[in-house]
Amino acid sequence: ATGQALRHRLAVRADVAPATQTGAALAEALIQRDAVAGRRLLLPRAGLAGRDLPELLTRAGGQVEEVVAYETRRPASLPAEAAAALQAHEVDWVTFTSSSTARHFVELLGARRDELLRGVRTASIGPTTSATMRELGLAVDVQPPQAQVRALVEAIVQAEAARDP
């Protein structure tokens, strides 16, 4: 999806696109292409991004310059409509597309988490987010084979179809 966005919005072709959307997979793909050792690498990323990618690139001999391109911040509270829907048990699924969304959501729910999430199924975009969810005590009902929003939606649709034959 990132490669497509680069092509369509900026007319830039991605030279490397790992099959799995993780920092470790990207590092491995770059290392296999001999694009790391002895090279200077600019790494624009989220302020809360994991450490795997820069650490693996540095260990492989790259000189990594990290730049915080954006910050992820927790809102002060859930939007009123979302809070009301959770309170009324009108939510079937909650999706998480990053570890920070899982952390922030759990923080926002606070002590009422278990009550508000009773009967709610959860979907994770990929393995890193799933690991964080499990650390936070959240179940992972669905995780697509590819860490892409489209695949996440398809996995939820399939899970619903399997539930309601």
Side-chain angles (χ1 to χ4, degrees):
T2 302
Q4 288 177 343
L6 284 170
R7 250 189 329 277
H8 296 305
R9 294 183 186 159
L10 302 174
V12 172
R13 182 180 57 85
D15 294 314
V16 177
T20 305
Q21 310 300 314
T22 65
L26 179 56
E28 182 180 325
L30 288 166
I31 291 165
Q32 285 179 355
R33 288 193 61 149
D34 198 27
V36 177
R39 299 187 188 255
R40 295 173 43 203
L41 304 146
L42 177 62
L43 189 55
R45 57 200 322 232
L48 296 175
R51 301 299 314 150
D52 286 353
L53 180 58
E55 288 175 3
L56 290 168
L57 295 174
T58 299
R59 271 191 253 147
Q63 296 175 354
V64 178
E65 180 67 35
E66 293 182 71
V67 175
V68 175
Y70 65 95
E71 292 284 341
T72 303
R73 295 194 175 112
R74 181 177 60 85
S77 62
L78 284 174
E81 190 174 295
L86 284 167
Q87 179 68 34
H89 299 288
E90 297 172 341
V91 175
D92 295 313
W93 287 89
V94 175
T95 62
F96 297 98
T97 56
S98 68
S99 290
S100 62
T101 60
R103 280 190 202 96
H104 292 168
F105 187 71
V106 166
E107 289 170 8
L108 289 169
L109 294 183
R112 297 187 60 208
R113 177 182 84 181
D114 292 341
E115 170 195 343
L116 294 172
L117 294 180
R118 189 180 38 220
V120 175
R121 298 182 77 195
T122 59
S124 166
I125 197 160
T128 303
T129 302
S130 292
T132 299
M133 290 170 63
R134 289 183 185 105
E135 287 171 15
L136 295 168
L138 294 173
V140 178
D141 295 304
V142 166
Q143 177 190 306
Q146 298 162 327
Q148 299 171 344
V149 172
R150 181 175 309 212
L152 179 63
V153 172
E154 289 172 4
I156 292 170
V157 169
Q158 289 174 0
E160 282 297 308
R163 221 168 120 166
D164 296 324

